[in-house]
Structures are given as structure tokens and as C-alpha cells.
Amino acid sequence: MTTGKAALAGVMGWPVGHSLSPLLHNYWLERYGIYGAYVPLPVAPENLEAVTQALPRAGFGGWNVTVPHKEAMLALVDRVEPLAERVGAVNTVVVQEGGTLLGHNTDVYGFMENLTRQQPGWKENTERALVLGAGGAARAVIVGLQEAGVEEIECCNRSLDRAKQLVDNLDGGLGVVPWDEREIALEEAGLLVNTTSLGMEGQPPLHLALDALPETAIVYDIVYAPLYTPLLQTAKKRGNPVVTGLGMLMHQAVPGFAAWFGREPEVDKEIEQLLLRQLQE
Ligand code: ATR
């Protein structure tokens, strides 16, 4: 319920109409009976700085940041959390007392929390991880796995240069695999993560035969439309444990909600169903 006492937050993106975050946060606000509003903020790149400066003055407690602003927001906040610095992107801003802006990256937390909830024993199984993709999502995934102590991580990307750049930039025992060698690289992987857009509704399919992948390896697709991507369906059929991607989106929202609205929300099946219904509309 929104009243004059509402605490304010939102999501900045361009475009922002596809974002599931307003539905998610407003569901939690209603569920916990918190006076608050979480609104979509369609902000064109040329207006990002002005809007960032204006929102705290309009009473906003903070906001989420989505495509294409996550990297640019890093330079616009007053302080950046070390993890966000490492990922090179800010997806959550919290307005501190006095108006200072603190930038976080909760995609790392969202990715890891989703993995731990769906496959609690993942760590014992994962000496080696193979990550497909080298964009912003791959960076958050790799930083999360590094922080969790995974020693061997390989990044496999269509553009090899982009993979090399990512690996050089993050250092710490990371390897690079050319896109053509992705099927061979599945051997001995304990965890396979797809961070590319391949397999998403409306995008080309991911061509990847899983024959070389150990049957115990966990297959995690961060694509959530559809929830069971062709990759996950194939993995499930051959007996691999799988992790669906929508939980990453839901969990990344938790720290922001807690900071702005004062209560740690729960991620459950009901909200997942609500988001899936929205995706189908
Ligand atoms: P995000 O920030 O969400 O990770 P992104 O930066 O656009 O998004 O990255 C998309 C990823 O999907 C990239 O790794 C991209 O590979 P390139 O770096 O070579 O562009 C990958 N991707 C997109 N379309 C692809 C395709 N047809 N084949 C292989 N990889 C593809």
C-alpha cells in the first residue's frame, strides 16, 4: 500500500519496461505491510548523472541499476563496495545519512545464494568451473566463484579477446577457452554456468553437446526465460543436477530491499510463480 509516508526506491534502466524488479519489490512491500513504493525509472544514458543526483533530493532511499547503466553507475556514486569495484559494476545504490551514495553489486550474492539454495553441496563437487560468456553477468559469476574459493575457473567466449580481457582483469588462476573448444572443456568440469544470452526466448540456441560432461557436474543457466532452457532440459535428462536462473534475479534483490525498506524479504515459490506468469504475458 502506498501512502504519503511511503519509502521510495526504483530501478533505473533504458529501456526498463521489461524489468521484473517492480513486481518483485512491490509484492514484498505488500506482503510485509510496508509503506513503500518501488517504481520503474526509464533513464536515458545522457540523463543518468542528473537523475542520480536528483533522486536522493526527492526522498529516494536508493535504487537498482540495470542494463545499460551498471558500469556507468560505478563512477557516479560516492563510495563503491570492494566487491562491486572488483566486478566493475554497480546494480544497487543505497542513499546514506547525509545523502552519500553507496554502490553495491548484489548480482554476485544473487548468483551464489541461488546456487547454494538449489544445490547445497555444490562446493564439494566443484574443483573446476566452466563459465560460458564474458559479459557483465560472467564477471559477477566469476567473482562469486573466486570469492567462494573455486580454484580452477575457465572462461569460454565467442570473442576470445573479450574472455582474455576479463581474465587479465580479474586475475587469480583463471583460464580461457576458445568457443570452438567448449565441448572438450566440459571434461572434468564440476560446474557449468551459461551466462550468454543463448537459449533465451527470442535468441539463438546454445549449441553444446554435453557428452564429455561428468554426470555429477552441476549445470546452472542464468537465463530464466524459459525457466528450463534447452541446456537445462538436456542436462536433467542425462542426470546432471541443475540450477535454474530466476533465483539469481530474486536473491540479488534481497540486500537492496532490506536496506531501503528495513526488512529482509523471503524468496519463495509463490513469488517465483508470480514472476514466471509475468514473463509469459
Ligand atoms: P551481459 O552483460 O548480460 O553478460 P553482454 O555483455 O551482452 O551481456 O554479453 C552477452 C554474452 O553472450 C557475451 O559473452 C556474448 O559473446 P561475445 O562477447 O562474443 O559477444 C555472448 N553471446 C551473445 N550472442 C552469442 C552468439 N550468437 N554466440 C556465442 N555467444 C554469444
Side-chain angles (χ1 to χ4, degrees):
M1 193 172 35
T2 307
T3 70
K5 295 191 176 76
L8 298 173
V11 54
M12 284 186 191
W14 187 255
V16 79
H18 63 280
S19 173
L20 293 174
S21 294
L23 184 63
L24 175 58
H25 285 273
N26 286 304
Y27 166 85
W28 280 331
L29 286 169
E30 203 164 308
R31 173 162 175 179
Y32 299 121
I34 296 170
Y35 284 165
Y38 182 102
V39 294
L41 297 161
V43 180
E46 63 270 26
N47 296 325
L48 188 66
E49 188 169 356
V51 175
T52 297
Q53 285 170 3
L55 286 183
R57 298 172 195 172
F60 274 66
W63 52 88
N64 283 125
V65 185
T66 187
V67 181
H69 299 318
K70 290 186 190 184
E71 285 83 12
M73 190 55 68
L74 195 73
L76 295 177
V77 294
D78 300 298
R79 274 197 307 127
V80 179
E81 254 205 347
L83 206 61
E85 191 83 58
R86 200 160 152 64
V87 177
V90 163
N91 79 325
T92 303
V93 176
V94 178
V95 181
Q96 312 281 101
E97 290 265 331
T100 308
L101 303 183
L102 180 56
H104 303 261
N105 188 304
T106 66
D107 288 330
V108 177
Y109 168 81
F111 171 78
M112 293 306 300
E113 190 66 14
N114 189 40
L115 175 57
T116 306
R117 297 274 183 113
Q118 291 188 48
Q119 297 296 340
W122 75 271
K123 191 70 201 296
E124 290 92 79
N125 202 39
T126 307
E127 265 175 45
R128 179 167 177 188
L130 178 67
V131 177
L132 304 180
R139 284 186 70 97
V141 164
I142 291 174
V143 167
L145 293 175
Q146 283 184 317
E147 293 284 314
V150 178
E151 283 179 8
E152 277 183 70
I153 305 171
E154 289 184 310
C155 174
C156 176
N157 195 50
R158 174 180 58 177
S159 144
L160 191 62
D161 275 353
R162 204 171 174 204
K164 281 183 182 156
Q165 240 177 34
L166 184 153
V167 159
D168 285 349
N169 195 263
L170 287 180
D171 57 52
L174 297 170
V176 162
V177 175
W179 190 243
D180 288 349
E181 292 171 25
R182 61 193 182 282
E183 288 175 0
I184 308 163
L186 295 173
E187 266 178 44
E188 292 175 35
L191 173 66
L192 167 69
V193 188
N194 174 46
T195 76
T196 73
S197 47
L198 299 174
M200 192 187 293
E201 266 161 26
Q203 299 292 322
L206 169 62
H207 295 293
L208 184 70
L210 297 182
D211 305 285
L213 187 72
E215 272 177 28
T216 50
I218 295 168
V219 180
Y220 187 158
D221 201 334
I222 74 163
V223 168
Y224 53 74
L227 187 64
Y228 282 90
T229 59
L231 170 66
L232 293 185
Q233 286 180 29
T234 310
K236 236 179 138 182
K237 254 185 229 144
R238 65 195 293 280
N240 289 91
V242 300
V243 179
T244 53
L246 196 54
M248 177 172 173
L249 174 94
M250 296 188 288
H251 286 290
Q252 66 75 34
V254 168
F257 188 93
W260 308 319
F261 302 119
R263 169 158 189 171
E264 185 152 322
E266 249 173 83
V267 170
D268 58 21
K269 282 281 164 213
E270 193 181 332
I271 180 62
E272 183 172 68
Q273 288 306 315
L274 191 70
L275 296 177
L276 285 172
R277 278 202 298 279
Q278 170 79 14
L279 281 170
Q280 277 151 17
E281 273 174 19

